[in-house]
Amino acid sequence: MKEFAYERATDVRDALIAADGGARYLGGGTNLVDLMKEGVEAPTRLVDVRQLPLAGVSEAPDGGLVIGATTTNSDLAAHPEVRRRYPALSQAVLAGASGQLRNMATVGGNLLQRTRCAYFTAQVCNKRVPGTGCPAIAGEHHNHAILGWTRNCVATHPSDMAVAMLAFDAVVRYEMLDGPGEIPLAEFYPPVGDTPHCETALPPGALITAVVLPGSAVSPRSRYRKVRERASYAFATVSIAAGLDLDEGSVRIALGGVASRPWRARTAEAFLLDAPLTAEAFRAAADAELAAAEPLPGNGYKVRLAGNLIETVLKELQP
Amino acid sequence: MTNHHRSVISLQVNGVPHRLSVDNRTTLLDALREDIGHTGPKKGCDHGQCGACTVLLDGRRVVSCLTLAVAAEGAEITTAEGLAGDGELLPLQQAFIRLDGFQCGYCTSGQLCSAVGMLAEHTAGWPSAATADVSPDGPAPVLDAAEVRERMSGNLCRCGAYPSIVRAVLETAAQKETEG
Amino acid sequence: MKNAVGVAQPRIEGRAKVTGAARYAADVPIPGLAFGAVVLATVSLGRIRDIDVSAVQDMAGVLGVIDHRNAPRLNPKAGGFFGPDGQLQLLQDEVIPFAGRPVALVVAETLEQAQAAAEALPVTYDEEPHDTGFTADHPASRPAVAIFDEPVNVGDVEAELAASSVVVEEQYCTPEEHCSAMEPHSATAWWEGERLEAIDSNQGPFSIAVTLATLFSLSPDLVHVRTEHVGGGFGSKGLCGPQLILAAMAALLFGRPVRVTLTRAQVFLATAMRPAINQLIRIGADADGRLRAIHHEAAFEISPLVEYLEGCTELTKTLYAARSIRTRLSAVPLDILPPYSMRGPGATPGSFALESAMDELAERLGMDPLELRLRNEPVAGPVSGLPFSSRNLVACLREGARRFSWDTRDHRPRMRREGALLVGTGLAATSFSAGAFPSSATITAETDGTFTVAIGATDLGTGARTALTAIAADALAVGTERIRLRISDSGLGPAWGAGGSRGTTSWVWAITEAAEKLRGQECRGTVTVDTTRSLGELSSRERHSFSAVFAEVTVDPVTGEVRVRRLLGMFAVGRVVNPLMARSQVIGGMIGGLSMALHEEGIRDPVSGRHVNADFAGYHIAAHADVPDIEADFVPDYEPGIPMGVKGAGEIGNVGTAAAIANAVWHATGVRQRSLPIRLDRVLE
C-alpha cells in the first residue's frame, strides 16, 4: 500500500474541499482499503466521511424513504420501515458479504464498489488502464456478464443492495462545491461501451449524500433471491429483486450478476404489463428479456438460471 | 515538519486506554497485534474474506483487517483477550471448551468476538438472510441453528469445527434466555 | 486408577485458545524484529531478466532485498519425505519454473514498509512458452510408482470384464484443491552465532529442522525449530516452507531476527495443493453383484521440481474382494506449483472415483448400494493376500445404515420431492492406511513425583497435546496431572510429524515404549527410546482405518443449488484416545469432504497459466451456512499391532464424503456428477 494523508471531515463542505484530485472518500473501507492493499487504488489522501451527519433513514414527503449515505448496511437492513416498505432491499443487503462487513460498509460505498473480476485486481485490464484488453473474455469468465457487455469488458457489478434499489427506482443524491445534484440509479452506472473504466455518472469530486426510495415504489410484496456458489458469504452468480403490485397488475424486476451494472429487466416488465400474471407469462417475459443475452462459452448457464429465477420468484410473490 | 502519512490516535482496548502513533496505512489488526501486543485477532487473509481478525468496535463486530487504525480513533475495541473480564470465562468461552468448538484455534478469537456481536444483533431484533419474513410486524426471528449458521458465515474454519461452534452458541443463547 | 485413554476430555490448551493467549508463529514477540515481504513470479515459465533493487532500496525503512544474485547458496541435495525437492531451492538462479515461485524477499523495519517496497519492486522476465493444461492423455504423461501405491495386476481384468454381466466404465475428474489452513505460513528466524533459531508453523519441527540444516549445510544440532501452536496444516505445512527458508536467509544477511509471513494469496500460489486428477474406473460384476474386475487408473499433475505422486488407487486394493484388480498411475509434468499431500492424499480423490463407480454399478444391477458393498467384503487383502489386522467396515456400514434408516430408502432416483426441492441419499465406504514411523521419546521422573514426557510431536489442532498426555498417564499408570508434556520442538529428538495419519500412532509407540522402560527401572531417572527397531518387528498385515459415510442432500432444480442437510459417518479407527476430540477431527474431515464435493476448485487462466482465484472470495471453502449438524461415531475397533490399539483418525474423515454426496445428488436428480465440484451450473435444469 502506498502512503497517504488522512483527514476526518465533520462537515460536508470541508469534505468536498479536502477531496482534491488524488483523494478518495473513506466510508466503511471494506472495498477501498482492500483495493489499496491490492494496489488497484492508490489515493494520496483519504477523507473519512463517517463523521458527517449523513447516517440514518428518514421519511420522504411522498411516502418513500431517504437513506443517508453513511448509513451502515446493517442499519439499513434492520430498519423497520425498510423492512416494511421495501423488504427486497433489506433481504438484498442481508444477502451480501458477512455480518462484520455489513456493520462497516456504508450505503454510499456500496454503490461505488468495484467489480470482483479476478483479472481486475490481479493484473492490468481495460477497466484499470484503457486499451490493455479484457483477459476474461478468452480466460476465466464463469461468473461474468451475459447482458450489455462489450469486447472491452465482461465484468459484473458486485452489489446486491444496488439491484434492489434499482428495482425500486432509487435516486442518488450528491453534493458538490457548487451545489447539490441527483441521478436516477438507472442512469448512475453507464453502459460499458468503449469506456469500462468510467463506472459511474457521478461528477468528479462529488460526494454521495443519500439514496431516495420513492413512495411510488413501496412494495411490501417484494423479495430478493440470490444464487451463489456457497450458501452464504459469496458474491452472486445471479440474483433477482422482484416486486409484484397486484392493484396495478405490474411487476418490477432487476437482476444482479448478469451485467456491468444492476440490470433492470424493462423488457420483461413491459411484457407483463399486457399479459396475465401466470407462470407461462412469467416464463415468456423472462425469455423476452434474455433474448438479448450473449453468453460466452463458460457462462451460458446464467441465461437459464436468470430465466428460472424470474419465473420462480414471480410465482412465489403471487398470493 | 509534520508527517502527513502518520497520525497519533487514541484507542480503548479491552478497557485500557492506548495512545499511539501509527502509519496511516496500518490496519487496526496490525496496530492491535504489532503495536499493542494483542495477538488474539488473527490475520487469516487480510482481505475481509475469513473473519479471523474479528473484533468488537464500539460493541459491533467488524473485521479489523479492513479497518484502518487511524479511522478507529477514539473507538472502544474488544478482542478475544478482553472477553473474559476478571479471569472468569464467558459462558460462551466455556461452551467452546466443553463442546470442542475449535481444533487448531486460529479462527477461534474471531469466532468468539463474532458470536458475541451476533447475539447482540439478534437481541436487537435484526433479521438475517435466513429469516423467512423480514417484516418488522411479524414475530422476531427465533435463533435456531439455521439462523446461527447464516449469521456466523463470515467466520471461516478450515478444521471444520462449525457444528460444535453452532452448538456452543445455541447453548449459550438458551442459557441466557432461561436466566432472563 | 482410572484410565485416561478413552475418556472425553476438553483440550488442555482450551483456555489459551478461547482467550486469544495461544501464540502462533506470527504472534511471538521478538526484540529487534525486521519484516520480510515475499515477491512471487508472475510468469508460468521463463527467466528473470532483471530485478531493479535500486527502485526500492531508498524507500522508507527498507533494509535490503534478497534475490538470486545475493542469496546464500543452498545445498541442492536437500529434500523431504518424497526425496530431493527443487521447490526448496529458492533464489538460487534466474529460472522461473512456475507462477508463484518466490523471486525476492524485501526486508524492512516494519510490515507496512516491507509490503510497500515488495509491491513496488520492478521485476522483468523473459517469458517462455509454458504448459499448465492438464489432460489425462497429455503427450508427456508417464507411468508413476507412488511410495504407498505401486501398480498392481492381479487376475485377468480383461477376461473378467468380458465375462461380467454388468460393466461400469466411467471417468471421474477432480480439480486442483488447496489445503487452505486458516493460519498463513509464518516463520521468524535469527542466528545465535553458528546456531540457527526459528519459530515456524509446520507439521513436524524435527524433520523441518533436518531439511533446513541440509539446505544451509549445517550440522542438524545447530538448527533449532519451535512450533508451539499451529493454525492447521492439512498437508501444506509438511514441507520446509518458503517462509522459513527466506527468513533464515534474511536473518543471515541482515544480522537480526526476521519474520516472513506469507499473504493468503501467497499461501495459494507458493505452498502446496492437491493436483488435478483424472481417473478411469472399469468395474465388472455378475448379476448377483459379485465383483469380477476392478480396473482403476489415475492420471495427475506433477511438477518437474519434485516427485510427489498422488496414490489414488490405494484403497482399490483394500476395499473389495474382486477376482481381478489392476491399478495404474500416470504423472503429467506441467509448469505448475508442485503438488503435495493434502488431507487424505490419494484416498480422498481415489474414493470419489471408486465409490461413485460402485454406486453406478449398484444402479445398473438394480441393487441396494449397501448390499453391493456387503456382498464384496474380502476375508484377506484382495491384492496382498495378507490378513487384515482388524477390519470393521461391515460394522460401520451396518450401524450407519441403521442410524440413517437406510432400509426405508427407495433406491430409484428422483423419487423424493419436498416442495420445489429434490431429495436424495447416498453412501460410500472408505479405508485409509494405518501404520507408524520411527520416533524417539524421553521421559524423566522428576523429584516432585511428576513425569516430563518429551517428544518432537506437534499439535495442529489434532489434539495431540491432550491425547499424548492421556497416553503417557496410562502408560506410566499415573494421573494426567502428573504428566508434563513437552512437544513442538526439534530439540526433543527425532519424531515423525503430524501427517499421513501416522502422528498419534508413531508418538504413542515411542511414549509407551519409554514408559515401559522407565517402569522397568522403578520409575527413576531418565529414559530415551527410539522405536526404529521395534517398528521393524511389526508383522506384515493389512492395516487400515475404515468408515462408512451417509449423506442426504436437497437439490433445487431451478437454481442447481445443492445443500447437504444430513451427514453421518461411522468410523473404525482403532482405539479412540479421546472421543470428544476424535469426533471433532472426523467431523472436520467430513466437512473437508463436503467442501471438496460442492465448492473447491483452483482455477487457472488458460492464457497465462496463473491461478485466478487465489483468495477466499474466489476459492470457496465451506462456510457455516453450508454445514449441517453432523453425526459421527465409532464402532469398537482395536489395532493389535500398535501399542494402545490405536490407528489414525486424521484423514479418513475426508475420504468418502465427496462420493457419498455425489451419489446422493444422483439419487435426488437422476444425473451423475463425475466432476467435482458439483457446481450449480452442472446441476441446473
Side-chain angles (χ1 to χ4, degrees):
Chain A
M1 202 188 292
K2 294 218 172 79
E3 292 189 307
F4 57 87
Y6 170 87
E7 210 156 309
R8 182 180 280 214
T10 51
D11 174 280
V12 170
R13 194 170 166 76
D14 290 348
L16 291 167
I17 292 169
D20 56 13
R24 285 274 189 281
Y25 297 115
L26 175 69
T30 56
N31 190 214
L32 180 59
V33 173
D34 193 25
L35 290 173
M36 288 166 66
K37 289 183 181 192
E38 298 279 9
V40 177
E41 297 269 11
T44 53
R45 178 194 302 269
L46 287 183
V47 180
D48 190 337
V49 298
R50 290 169 313 137
Q51 300 301 309
L52 298 179
L54 298 177
V57 177
S58 55
E59 292 287 342
D62 69 345
L65 295 174
V66 179
I67 299 159
T70 60
T71 309
T72 64
N73 282 199
S74 295
D75 288 332
L76 170 63
H79 196 281
E81 288 311 317
V82 174
R83 291 154 62 189
R84 188 172 283 125
R85 298 180 210 177
Y86 308 99
L89 174 57
S90 177
Q91 290 171 336
V93 173
L94 293 169
S98 68
Q100 292 93 313
L101 292 165
R102 293 193 294 271
N103 280 341
M104 300 164 69
T106 62
V107 166
N110 190 318
L111 290 178
L112 294 176
Q113 64 182 308
R114 318 281 308 266
T115 184
R116 275 8 183 241
C117 173
Y119 296 102
F120 172 69
T121 42
Q123 65 191 74
V124 172
C125 74
N126 280 337
K127 228 184 210 326
R128 282 173 66 177
V129 182
T132 53
C134 172
I137 291 174
E140 164 57 30
H141 52 250
H142 178 259
N143 203 13
H144 284 62
I146 54 169
L147 286 164
W149 59 279
T150 70
R151 301 307 294 177
N152 295 305
C153 181
V154 70
T156 58
H157 194 268
S159 175
D160 293 295
M161 182 194 80
V163 175
M165 284 182 168
L166 180 66
F168 294 134
D169 303 321
V171 174
V172 181
R173 279 188 191 161
Y174 61 86
E175 256 335 301
M176 296 175 61
L177 278 174
D178 57 2
E182 57 179 49
I183 315 172
L185 192 58
E187 293 159 27
F188 188 79
Y189 302 105
V192 188
D194 298 330
T195 53
H197 59 291
C198 299
E199 294 178 351
T200 75
L202 203 61
L207 174 69
I208 297 176
T209 53
V211 175
V212 182
L213 300 172
S216 57
V218 166
S219 190
R221 192 179 283 277
S222 69
R223 65 170 300 195
Y224 189 77
R225 174 90 186 264
K226 179 178 182 180
V227 177
R228 42 187 156 175
E229 290 174 345
R230 181 161 71 179
S232 185
Y233 201 20
F235 292 98
T237 296
V238 178
S239 66
I240 179 172
L244 193 58
D245 186 329
L246 293 171
D247 298 333
E248 303 256 328
S250 67
V251 301
R252 46 182 76 243
I253 307 167
L255 299 172
V258 295
S260 67
R261 47 182 175 156
W263 187 268
R264 187 76 183 260
R266 295 276 185 206
T267 309
E269 289 179 3
F271 182 96
L272 289 170
L273 269 182
D274 304 322
L277 299 183
T278 63
E280 293 71 28
F282 296 153
R283 171 53 67 174
D287 290 345
E289 184 67 41
L290 294 162
E294 294 179 282
L296 286 160
N299 66 1
Y301 74 97
K302 281 194 174 189
V303 180
R304 211 159 9 125
L305 178 54
N308 286 356
L309 279 177
I310 291 172
E311 180 188 345
T312 305
V313 170
L314 289 178
K315 277 198 292 195
E316 286 168 359
L317 284 171
Q318 285 186 307
Chain B
M1 195 188 112
T2 55
N3 183 341
H4 296 294
H5 300 145
R6 294 189 71 85
S7 304
V8 175
I9 60 165
S10 300
L11 293 174
Q12 183 96 0
V13 182
N14 299 330
V16 178
H18 291 268
R19 195 166 166 76
L20 54 158
S21 165
V22 294
D23 188 322
N24 288 345
R25 294 173 292 184
T26 304
T27 61
L28 176 60
L29 174 61
D30 285 329
L32 290 169
R33 290 176 53 84
E34 307 296 340
D35 298 335
I36 300 176
H38 284 345
T39 53
K42 296 290 190 270
K43 191 182 284 188
C45 74
D46 212 23
H47 289 281
Q49 298 166 354
C50 81
C53 67
T54 303
V55 300
L56 299 169
L57 188 152
D58 294 334
R60 285 194 178 187
R61 53 178 173 157
V62 299
V63 287
S64 59
C65 72
L66 293 181
T67 304
L68 293 172
V70 62
E73 154 69 22
E76 281 186 31
I77 310 291
T78 305
T79 69
E81 288 95 328
L83 289 176
D86 294 328
E88 174 84 4
L89 296 181
L90 294 181
L92 183 69
Q93 290 169 302
Q94 293 174 24
F96 262 60
I97 295 175
R98 181 166 41 83
L99 299 171
D100 214 28
F102 52 89
Q103 293 177 43
C104 82
Y106 197 78
C107 72
T108 310
S109 297
Q111 300 274 1
L112 286 162
C113 288
S114 187
V116 169
M118 179 277 277
L119 289 169
E121 291 166 10
H122 175 258
T123 303
W126 292 12
S128 84
T131 309
D133 181 2
V134 297
S135 162
D137 307 316
V142 175
L143 197 69
D144 58 13
E147 283 280 358
V148 172
R149 286 180 197 131
E150 164 56 31
R151 290 166 191 257
M152 290 295 290
S153 280
N155 293 84
L156 301 181
C157 167
R158 186 55 157 171
C159 296
Y162 295 134
S164 306
I165 294 169
V166 171
R167 215 169 294 142
V169 171
L170 284 171
E171 278 196 16
T172 307
Q175 200 178 327
K176 214 180 253 176
E177 203 136 292
T178 51
E179 285 166 5
Chain C
M1 180 84 226
K2 275 173 99 170
N3 282 342
V5 172
V7 179
Q9 279 293 335
R11 286 162 210 269
I12 287 173
E13 73 281 9
R15 188 183 173 97
K17 284 183 175 174
V18 299
T19 55
R23 298 268 193 198
Y24 297 76
D27 300 343
V28 182
I30 305 278
L33 192 60
F35 292 84
V38 185
V39 180
L40 302 184
T42 55
V43 303
S44 287
L45 194 68
R47 288 172 175 272
I48 298 167
R49 185 188 303 159
D50 186 40
I51 299 179
D52 184 7
V53 173
S54 66
V56 302
Q57 190 67 59
D58 296 331
M59 285 177 71
V62 170
L63 297 170
V65 177
I66 312 177
D67 62 26
H68 59 288
R69 295 167 298 195
N70 63 342
R73 293 302 100 186
L74 299 173
N75 180 347
K77 291 188 190 127
F81 186 75
F82 299 102
D85 189 342
Q87 196 178 1
L88 304 175
Q89 299 296 318
L90 300 181
L91 314 187
Q92 298 300 290
D93 57 32
E94 68 280 8
V95 176
I96 304 300
F98 64 93
R101 175 76 153 186
V103 294
L105 183 78
V106 181
V107 183
E109 294 286 350
T110 72
L111 189 57
E112 290 80 10
Q113 290 166 340
Q115 284 172 342
E119 286 157 22
L121 183 69
V123 184
T124 52
Y125 305 91
D126 289 313
E127 268 190 89
E128 292 164 23
H130 65 268
D131 185 358
T132 56
F134 170 69
T135 56
D137 54 1
H138 194 285
S141 176
R142 59 173 169 79
V145 179
I147 292 176
F148 298 110
D149 192 13
E150 293 175 2
V152 299
N153 193 358
V154 178
D156 188 338
V157 163
E158 296 306 326
E160 295 293 346
L161 283 171
S164 295
S165 308
V166 175
V167 174
V168 167
E169 175 173 348
E170 295 293 350
Q171 296 209 35
Y172 302 87
C173 301
T174 52
E176 289 176 353
E177 294 159 0
H178 293 267
C179 301
S180 307
M182 294 310 295
E183 180 202 21
H185 300 50
S186 178
T188 306
W190 65 97
W191 293 75
E192 294 178 1
E194 298 267 280
R195 197 176 164 80
L196 175 55
E197 289 281 337
I199 296 168
D200 178 53
S201 42
N202 65 59
Q203 294 181 215
F206 181 81
S207 63
I208 299 291
V210 170
T211 303
L212 197 59
T214 310
L215 274 170
F216 286 86
S217 301
L218 298 167
S219 162
D221 57 359
L222 290 176
V223 177
H224 184 207
V225 177
R226 283 174 291 157
T227 176
E228 189 184 358
H229 291 290
V230 183
F234 313 112
S236 75
K237 292 172 183 165
L239 40 70
C240 185
Q243 76 285 356
L244 180 54
I245 299 167
L246 296 174
M249 282 182 173
L252 187 64
L253 289 190
F254 298 102
R256 59 192 277 190
V258 177
R259 175 164 295 163
V260 176
T261 305
L262 301 186
T263 65
R264 176 54 58 185
Q266 290 171 345
V267 172
F268 276 99
L269 298 170
T271 63
M273 63 173 185
R274 202 196 300 279
I277 307 165
N278 189 322
Q279 299 178 72
L280 168 74
I281 304 255
R282 298 157 80 205
I283 304 187
D286 288 331
D288 66 357
R290 280 182 215 287
L291 298 183
R292 282 182 169 271
I294 309 177
H295 177 200
H296 186 175
E297 290 194 1
F300 44 77
E301 309 170 307
I302 60 163
S303 155
L305 295 181
V306 58
E307 191 80 352
Y308 169 75
L309 305 169
E310 187 80 11
C312 297
T313 61
E314 187 187 334
L315 79 176
T316 302
K317 305 164 192 169
T318 307
L319 272 181
Y320 303 116
R323 294 162 73 148
S324 64
I325 295 176
R326 185 161 85 214
T327 69
R328 186 167 180 271
L329 301 178
S330 28
V332 176
L334 295 171
D335 307 316
I336 55 168
L337 167 70
Y340 195 66
S341 303
M342 175 169 163
R343 201 171 187 184
T348 298
S351 81
F352 167 65
L354 178 65
E355 287 300 283
S356 294
M358 284 293 282
D359 206 63
E360 301 206 41
L361 182 66
E363 173 196 352
R364 288 182 212 182
L365 288 163
M367 182 181 270
D368 176 356
L370 173 69
E371 181 56 33
L372 176 65
R373 285 158 174 98
L374 294 173
R375 198 159 289 182
N376 289 288
E377 176 69 6
V379 292
V383 169
S384 69
L386 291 170
F388 288 95
S389 62
S390 68
R391 180 178 166 112
N392 283 304
L393 175 59
V394 169
C396 292
L397 283 164
R398 288 201 192 282
E399 178 59 14
R402 188 187 68 76
R403 295 188 189 193
F404 208 73
S405 304
W406 186 262
D407 61 350
T408 63
R409 181 185 193 251
D410 182 336
H411 301 304
R412 295 169 300 170
R414 217 180 166 95
M415 299 301 287
R416 280 177 72 191
R417 262 184 190 274
E418 288 178 17
L421 301 177
L422 304 170
V423 183
T425 55
L427 68 78
T430 77
S431 70
F432 198 86
S433 77
F437 286 112
S439 296
S440 66
T442 299
I443 305 183
T444 302
E446 307 289 354
T447 50
D448 63 357
T450 64
F451 296 88
T452 300
V453 178
I455 184 161
T458 40
D459 192 334
L460 319 179
T462 56
R465 204 175 271 106
T466 312
L468 297 183
T469 299
I471 293 278
D474 281 12
L476 290 163
V478 300
T480 51
E481 73 287 351
R482 288 173 65 188
I483 303 297
R484 304 276 173 268
L485 185 75
R486 293 187 58 206
I487 59 170
S488 314
D489 188 325
S490 67
L492 300 175
W496 179 245
S501 289
R502 283 160 168 79
T504 305
T505 50
S506 304
W507 305 327
V508 163
W509 203 309
I511 289 173
T512 51
E513 206 166 290
E516 202 172 314
K517 198 167 164 193
L518 191 71
R519 292 175 77 178
Q521 55 191 50
E522 287 158 7
C523 288
R524 277 205 289 265
T526 294
V527 299
T528 296
V529 300
D530 184 300
T531 59
T532 308
R533 178 184 291 184
S534 50
L535 271 165
E537 291 164 2
L538 184 61
S539 61
S540 275
R541 289 282 186 280
E542 290 275 353
R543 283 194 179 78
H544 310 271
S545 291
F546 293 92
S547 76
V549 185
F550 296 76
E552 181 171 291
V553 303
T554 63
V555 177
D556 186 338
V558 167
T559 62
E561 293 164 300
V562 176
R563 301 275 186 264
V564 177
R565 70 173 187 191
R566 192 173 175 202
L567 205 50
L568 161 69
M570 290 303 303
F571 294 85
V573 293
R575 191 165 168 212
V576 174
V577 179
N578 181 327
L580 178 68
M581 297 188 316
R583 186 170 285 124
S584 294
Q585 197 173 22
V586 294
I587 285 175
M590 291 164 78
I591 291 170
L594 181 157
S595 191
M596 172 194 188
L598 300 185
H599 307 299
E600 295 184 35
E601 180 175 29
I603 299 170
R604 287 177 185 278
D605 176 57
V607 179
S608 71
R610 292 195 293 260
H611 279 115
V612 295
N613 61 339
D615 63 21
F616 282 144
Y619 185 91
H620 289 151
I621 62 172
H624 269 287
D626 297 292
V627 178
D629 200 18
I630 295 177
E631 184 180 357
D633 210 344
F634 304 94
V635 300
D637 193 33
Y638 190 89
E639 169 51 54
I642 299 178
M644 299 273 179
V646 298
K647 295 180 183 170
E651 305 184 268
I652 191 163
N654 276 57
V655 187
T657 304
I661 291 170
N663 294 339
V665 171
W666 167 78
H667 189 234
T669 63
V671 178
R672 285 286 168 194
Q673 297 293 331
R674 301 188 185 96
S675 293
L676 296 184
I678 306 173
R679 293 194 315 248
L680 59 93
D681 60 292
R682 290 174 165 153
V683 180
L684 179 65
E685 296 182 0

